[in-house]
């Protein structure tokens, strides 16, 4: 079973940490990724730039409106997305509880991947289906 | 085989349903990996029992018979559905193969602890944990749970369905937690049991002060948990509930008015429950671990030992509150400690502490903090202050008997 782990973080706190401290934390996280890889739990890890670099799109009055910034203005912003392979939710919880990043204060959100829809999205439509869908 | 009358069979099956159905269900959930399927299988197994036991007699091991019958019914059901879905065929085959040994070997595992931990999994919301535990572990109907928690059966049914989908879709495993996770996960289970108990003991709203059947259910759960997992805090919680329960008959007048501990007729306290609760506290304390429930139970046991409020060992109660504040610091515990200190050292000492606690702000909307302040002021003859504090408490109180008690105090002082 695949679990998507959304790592939220207080960007202000991260920005206020000394460069050496940030580097040390990242190295710890990479080392933990290696353990996850060794044990067959690692699928992917994606780090995000600061939420200050985000734009938000919305369907508004029949067209797309573009606004600056992240969707929600909260102290904790999404900082990275880790995808895990785990036996069940308890194992996913245990794996993420040992992740060094959780000590930054998080929070981490763990969500089961919707594997059926993800597979359909990844495989894509075949040519006939595609033609039918855009008719 | 001597044929048995239909009436006798019905009686026996009903009796077995009462004593065994939860344990059979717990095992069926493990074997079938699905709550809904297991519930249907349980139902089908009992129907089959009524039909077949009349001809073939009551089996030596009814529990194993029911598990086996339930499993076959479920496999049949999956096979019928499998005609339309190939993936189910594999599941039916796997079920067929996997568990025959265990059932035929006669030694069925007790899966109720798995069931309890799954129903109280921290990934489920607290109200869903309570509803699911009462439904699956205690076997209450949604109507019964609705009456206990003043919620509509439809709301509860939906809560239970959602919780079961989450267990399935997020793959919450059906297992007892590993030793390193156990303390935290056990806390969640104890909390569910204690919330159920309190709902019956201090009904949070509504007309009546207590709902004894709800507390009784929590005590049954506590006993079951102790049988399955005799950890010191499990003993502590059961002791706490039994000691509280021992005072039930003395807690309210026949008209349903609240009677405070100091005015209770102690001859109405149940000596039997006090003896059982006290023995459990001693056993829990002997573990040399400190826990929130055992400390509260120990306090309750000191009250239970005393013939009157005056002869209560308040010094020991204060010491136990100190212990409790270290085990789980909270403003409510600080408030209770202040009341104990007032009993030991006089209302002035209590008032100083309550004012400190109120200054922190967390208890400003907690009626019992204002009621305690009011009581200390009243005993010190500070009438105006007492009245003001009783009025604050009254404005915050939700429960009718408590409101009437506060109104009476206000009338006496005015």
């Amino acid at each position: 079973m695949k679990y998507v782990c959304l790592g939220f973080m207080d960007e202000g706190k991260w920005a206020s940490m000394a460069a050496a401290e940030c580097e040390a934390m990242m190295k710890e996280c990479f080392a933990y990724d290696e353990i996850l890889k060794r044990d067959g739990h690692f699928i992917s890890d994606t780090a995000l730039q600061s939420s200050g670099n985000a734009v938000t799109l919305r369907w508004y009055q029949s067209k797309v409106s573009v606004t600056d910034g992240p969707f929600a203005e909260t102290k904790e912003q999404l900082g990275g997305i880790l995808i895990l392979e785990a036996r069940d939710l308890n194992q996913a919880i245990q794996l993420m509880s040992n992740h060094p990043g959780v000590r930054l204060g998080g929070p981490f959100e763990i969500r089961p991947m919707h594997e059926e829809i993800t597979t359909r999205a990844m495989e894509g439509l075949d040519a006939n289906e595609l033609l039918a869908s855009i008719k | 085989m001597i044929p048995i009358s239909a009436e006798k069979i019905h009686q026996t099956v009903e009796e077995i349903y009462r004593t065994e159905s939860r344990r059979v269900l717990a095992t069926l959930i493990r074997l079938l990996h699905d709550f809904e399927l297991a519930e249907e299988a349980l139902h089908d197994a009992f129907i089959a029992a009524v039909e077949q036991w009349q001809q073939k007699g009551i089996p030596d091991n009814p529990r194993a018979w029911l598990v086996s019958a339930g499993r076959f019914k479920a496999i049949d059901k999956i096979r019928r559905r499998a005609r339309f879905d190939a993936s189910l065929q594999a599941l039916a085959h796997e079920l067929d193969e996997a568990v025959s040994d265990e059932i035929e070997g006669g030694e069925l595992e007790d899966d109720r602890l798995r069931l309890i931990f799954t129903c109280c999994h921290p990934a489920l919301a607290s109200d869903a944990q309570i509803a699911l535990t009462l439904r699956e572990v205690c076997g209450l109907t949604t109507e019964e749970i609705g009456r206990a928690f003043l919620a509509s059966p439809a709301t509860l049914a939906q809560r239970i369905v959602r919780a079961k989908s989450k267990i399935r879709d997020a793959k919450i495993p059906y297992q007892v937690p590993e030793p390193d996770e156990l303390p935290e996960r056990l806390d969640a289970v104890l909390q569910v049991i204690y919330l159920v108990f309190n709902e019956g003991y201090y009904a949070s709203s509504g007309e009546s002060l207590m709902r004894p059947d709800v507390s009784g259910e929590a005590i049954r759960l506590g006993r079951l948990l102790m049988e399955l997992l005799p950890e010191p805090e499990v003993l502590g919680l059961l002791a706490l509930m039994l000691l509280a329960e021992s005072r039930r008959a003395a807690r309210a007048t026949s008209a349903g008015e609240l009677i405070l501990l100091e005015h209770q007729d102690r001859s109405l306290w149940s000596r039997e429950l006090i003896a059982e609760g006290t023995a459990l506290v001693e056993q829990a304390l002997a573990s040399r671990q400190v826990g929130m429930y055992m400390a509260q139970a120990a306090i309750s046991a000191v009250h239970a030992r005393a013939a009157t409020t005056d002869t209560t060992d308040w010094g020991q109660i204060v010491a136990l509150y100190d212990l409790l504040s270290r085990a789980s610091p909270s403003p409510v515990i600080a408030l209770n400690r202040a009341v104990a200190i007032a009993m030991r050292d006089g209302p002035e000492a209590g008032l100083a502490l309550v004012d400190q606690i109120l200054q922190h702000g967390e208890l400003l909307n907690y009626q019992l903090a204002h009621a305690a302040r009011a009581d200390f002021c009243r005993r010190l003859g500070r009438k105006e202050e007492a009245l003001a504090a009783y009025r604050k408490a009254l404005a915050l109180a939700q429960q009718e008997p408590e409101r009437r008690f506060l109104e009476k105090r206000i009338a006496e002082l005015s």
Side-chain angles (χ1 to χ4, degrees), chain B residues 337-351:
Chain B
R337 182 174 168 274
V339 174
I341 285 188
M343 293 305 292
R344 189 187 64 182
D345 304 338
E348 204 144 357
L351 184 61

Side-chain angles (χ1 to χ4, degrees), chain A residues 1 3 87-90 93 112, chain B residues 121 169-173 175:
Chain A
M1 179 102 170
Y3 292 90
R87 188 178 60 238
D88 52 40
L89 185 62
N90 280 9
I93 291 172
Chain B
H121 197 280
D169 297 339
K171 215 167 173 190
I172 293 176
Q175 62 185 203

